[in-house]
Amino acid sequence: ANVPSLLSAPYLGYPVDEMVYRNTRKFILSEQNPTYHTSKDGKVKGYGSPHMAARIQKNIWPMAQIIQGLTADSQEEKLQLLDMLVNTDGGTGRMHESYNPDYPERFTRSWFTWPESLFAELVMSLTNQCPEKPVKFSLPETKQTDAKSRIKT
């Protein structure tokens, strides 16, 4: 449910076999995945993590839903996820580490900027303001000097 994950591989710029990725995505986002959960009313869906404590093992991770949106092929899927995320913030206006799909006010980490940053990117991906992935960053060349050359005698 975290990043990196198999779902996030194309987002991170890893080369993926299209058919293998589609099948992996289909499994991850299905009831066959033991960490995939659906609310009782069927409106909230997503997956969590098996390493969570027993009391929150059926929680959904917003970060996973956001990566699902960032790797989605359709704007419709992105909008559905965006709507789900906005309606499961537990009334805080923030993204959390995880939340109970039936009771979103039961969440972990009241302040967690990693999914909040990814959420902003998901919103931007619905506009023309978000760069295509992967973005390659390069650091400027720097001249290496040793400590002795910097000491004045």
Side-chain angles (χ1 to χ4, degrees), residues 147-153:
K148 284 184 179 180
S149 66
R150 293 188 302 238
I151 299 172
K152 294 183 181 179
T153 55

Side-chain angles (χ1 to χ4, degrees), residues 28-31 35-48 59-62 64-66 68 80-81 84-85 88 99 101:
I28 290 170
L29 302 174
S30 75
E31 296 291 339
T35 66
Y36 187 85
H37 309 293
T38 304
S39 62
K40 291 175 187 169
D41 64 9
K43 293 180 182 178
V44 178
K45 300 174 183 181
Y47 69 102
N59 277 14
I60 292 172
W61 284 34
Q65 292 173 301
I66 295 165
Q68 178 185 347
Q80 287 172 349
L81 288 157
M84 211 181 308
L85 288 157
T88 56
Y99 66 89

Side-chain angles (χ1 to χ4, degrees), residues 8 18 27 31 49 70 95 103 117 124 133 137:
S8 70
E18 190 66 27
F27 170 77
E31 296 291 339
S49 173
L70 288 170
M95 295 293 107
Y103 305 98
S117 299
M124 288 176 63
K133 290 290 175 196
F137 294 99

Side-chain angles (χ1 to χ4, degrees), residues 1-2 33-37 47-61 98:
N2 216 331
N33 175 355
T35 66
Y36 187 85
H37 309 293
Y47 69 102
S49 173
H51 80 267
M52 300 297 282
R55 69 178 177 78
I56 57 173
Q57 255 188 355
K58 295 195 181 213
N59 277 14
I60 292 172
W61 284 34
S98 72

Side-chain angles (χ1 to χ4, degrees), residues 1-5 7-8 11-12 25 28-29 45-49 51 59-71 81 85 88 94-99 108-109 111-122:
N2 216 331
V3 177
S5 66
L7 191 64
S8 70
Y11 167 81
L12 295 172
R25 182 183 178 86
I28 290 170
L29 302 174
K45 300 174 183 181
Y47 69 102
S49 173
H51 80 267
N59 277 14
I60 292 172
W61 284 34
M63 191 180 307
Q65 292 173 301
I66 295 165
I67 288 296
Q68 178 185 347
L70 288 170
T71 57
L81 288 157
L85 288 157
T88 56
R94 295 191 168 279
M95 295 293 107
H96 305 287
E97 176 186 41
S98 72
Y99 66 89
T108 58
R109 287 201 190 181
W111 189 68
F112 193 28
T113 58
W114 190 0
E116 289 182 355
S117 299
L118 288 171
F119 178 78
E121 188 173 347
L122 176 60

